[in-house]
Amino acid sequence: MESEDRIPLRKAKFTVQQALAYHNLQRSFKGLGPLSINEVARLSNVSPTTVHRTMRSEDDPKAATALSLDLATRLCSVLRCEISDLITVEEVEGVYLDSIDKKNEAN
């Protein structure tokens, strides 16, 4: 397969923690105190565990592996942010989709 036909792998990462930090920074400019993770969970009407899991590092086995549109909508509403503030996408250097498919076929 020619290199121009190969599709590089792009990996999504949660950045909910940064969105919360930015929201709290904006609150501090208004003289308001920061929101805790538990307060975000209460305001968004979801379990605190769910919010905590979205903020764990990707190598943590308890980290969330998916973000539903419902949860993203709730977090965006509470944190007054865009969905792009909750998730970023980075290209994984040297890894291509076709190489992942071959690994899965071997198992």
Side-chain angles (χ1 to χ4, degrees):
M1 185 176 284
E2 294 182 29
S3 62
E4 45 199 55
D5 293 337
R6 298 183 83 186
I7 301 171
L9 179 68
R10 293 177 54 91
K11 186 173 184 177
K13 289 184 171 185
F14 291 128
T15 52
V16 179
Q17 204 167 28
Q18 288 91 332
L20 176 58
Y22 183 77
H23 180 72
N24 282 335
L25 180 64
Q26 296 303 313
R27 286 177 58 88
S28 72
F29 292 148
K30 297 175 184 174
L32 301 171
L35 287 181
S36 69
I37 295 172
N38 288 335
E39 288 174 301
V40 171
R42 183 181 56 77
L43 292 170
S44 59
N45 201 24
V46 297
S47 163
T49 303
T50 301
V51 178
H52 278 275
R53 291 188 70 202
T54 63
M55 295 194 182
R56 291 180 179 266
S57 65
E58 65 184 66
D59 57 344
D60 187 330
K62 293 184 179 181
T65 57
L67 181 66
S68 71
L69 287 176
D70 179 55
L71 179 56
T73 300
R74 291 168 184 260
L75 291 174
C76 286
S77 297
V78 170
L79 300 177
R80 294 186 176 98
C81 66
E82 302 295 324
I83 195 164
S84 59
D85 296 323
L86 303 179
I87 301 172
T88 59
V89 179
E90 298 174 351
E91 195 169 297
V92 180
E93 195 163 328
V95 181
Y96 299 91
L97 286 179
D98 60 331
S99 63
I100 293 173
D101 294 338
K102 289 176 185 173
K103 286 180 189 174
N104 289 337
E105 288 174 7
N107 292 330

